[in-house]
Amino acid sequence: MDNLVDHLRQRGRGMLGTWVKIPALETVELLGHAGFEFVVVDMEHAPHALDRAYELVFAAQAMGMAALVRLPDHAGSAIQPLLDGGADGLLVPRVTDLDVARALTRRMVFSPRGERGLGLTSRAGKWGLGSIPDYVARGDSQCLRMVQLEDWATLEATADFAALEDVNGIFIGHGDLFLSSGKPPGNPDVQALTARMLEATRSAGVFSGVAAGSPAEARAYLDMGFSLVMVSNDTTLFARAAAEAVRATLEG
């Protein structure tokens, strides 16, 4: 997929993806064969070193999937190498502050508007064979810069985050929202908050993201109009399939 942002704008339905937590190229290849449209390499909750994340991005894109990366923290040191490694976008976890969102997404945009430096001899620059205008255009207009809002008060302020100049996507984190509020995704209050968050992204013209635990939940989010919907993750998909194989064999 050459251009994730334009692809999202042109299609009438959101894309289906999953988290990548297993540091194996073969697993990413299997996800591509299974039909997933994108993956998010998870550096926050999985043991991916920078070089392995880089390789997983390459593997996903080789299978025709878009490849995003969730940053491990707010330090920002991985932003430049991941984008120059060809990632289609980055997710910033656990954002609660407008200044943090502004500062980190600014580092994803080239100077003079932002703080990203020129690295044409990288994979994103086709190892120096590409042109500077194409390299800069891909970085500035074709890169997904998504912040994850994961507590109640921050999600109520979705419109403020969506209005930031360099933010072009908002992801709702139902897992941490549950930890802080005690309310699961199916709770009516959470469903209403999710709908308000989604409407705020639509009004601002930015993309929306959400993770689901089941196919039925993922389909509901697609029907709601989310841009990026993730169902489960590679570890859980494997674990459940393995457990079911054992159960079906031993219990009949």
Side-chain angles (χ1 to χ4, degrees):
M1 188 176 302
D2 293 333
N3 188 333
L4 172 61
V5 169
D6 284 350
H7 186 74
L8 282 170
R9 286 179 178 145
Q10 292 166 3
R11 60 187 280 146
R13 188 178 180 86
M15 294 172 60
L16 182 65
T18 193
W19 299 103
V20 169
K21 298 176 180 292
I22 300 173
L25 304 180
E26 293 85 354
T27 310
V28 173
E29 184 178 14
L30 286 168
L31 294 174
H33 283 308
F36 283 102
E37 298 172 286
F38 74 95
V39 297
V40 180
V41 178
D42 189 0
M43 294 184 73
E44 183 190 20
H45 291 301
H48 297 311
L50 182 60
D51 57 346
R52 176 47 52 154
Y54 176 100
E55 292 165 345
L56 294 170
V57 166
F58 175 84
Q61 292 172 340
M63 289 300 299
M65 296 182 288
L68 309 172
V69 181
R70 177 157 68 175
L71 297 175
D73 48 43
H74 293 170
S77 59
I79 289 175
Q80 180 85 44
L82 287 171
L83 293 181
D84 275 346
D88 293 296
L90 302 177
L91 279 67
V92 184
R94 297 184 61 82
V95 175
T96 59
D97 186 275
L98 288 168
D99 288 339
V100 169
R102 184 183 294 108
L104 289 175
T105 53
R106 179 177 169 82
R107 295 178 67 172
M108 302 177 196
V109 178
F110 285 108
S111 177
R113 189 179 105 201
E115 299 175 4
R116 182 178 171 186
L118 192 71
L120 187 65
T121 55
S122 63
R123 180 170 179 261
K126 299 181 180 178
W127 309 113
L129 297 178
S131 70
I132 291 179
D134 287 346
Y135 165 75
V136 171
R138 182 180 191 275
D140 283 353
S141 64
Q142 300 167 19
C143 173
L144 186 65
R145 300 179 294 272
M146 181 170 272
V147 297
Q148 295 186 220
L149 309 184
E150 307 182 59
D151 67 79
W152 205 279
T154 308
L155 281 158
E156 290 283 17
T158 294
D160 295 332
F161 287 89
L164 293 175
E165 181 179 14
D166 297 318
V167 170
N168 61 5
I170 305 289
F171 187 99
I172 182 170
H174 282 130
D176 282 327
L177 181 64
F178 168 70
L179 288 180
S180 62
S181 70
K183 298 179 178 181
N187 179 279
D189 292 338
V190 175
Q191 292 178 335
L193 178 65
T194 301
R196 292 196 298 273
M197 167 266 176
L198 183 59
E199 181 55 35
T201 64
R202 286 175 175 156
S203 296
V206 303
F207 301 112
S208 54
V210 64
S214 69
E217 187 183 0
R219 178 174 288 278
Y221 288 136
L222 286 171
D223 290 342
M224 284 179 67
F226 273 90
S227 309
L228 297 172
V229 176
M230 307 176 68
V231 59
S232 195
N233 59 80
D234 53 3
T235 55
T236 301
L237 290 169
F238 173 79
R240 287 178 176 170
E244 175 56 25
V246 171
R247 186 207 62 78
T249 301
L250 296 182
E251 299 176 12

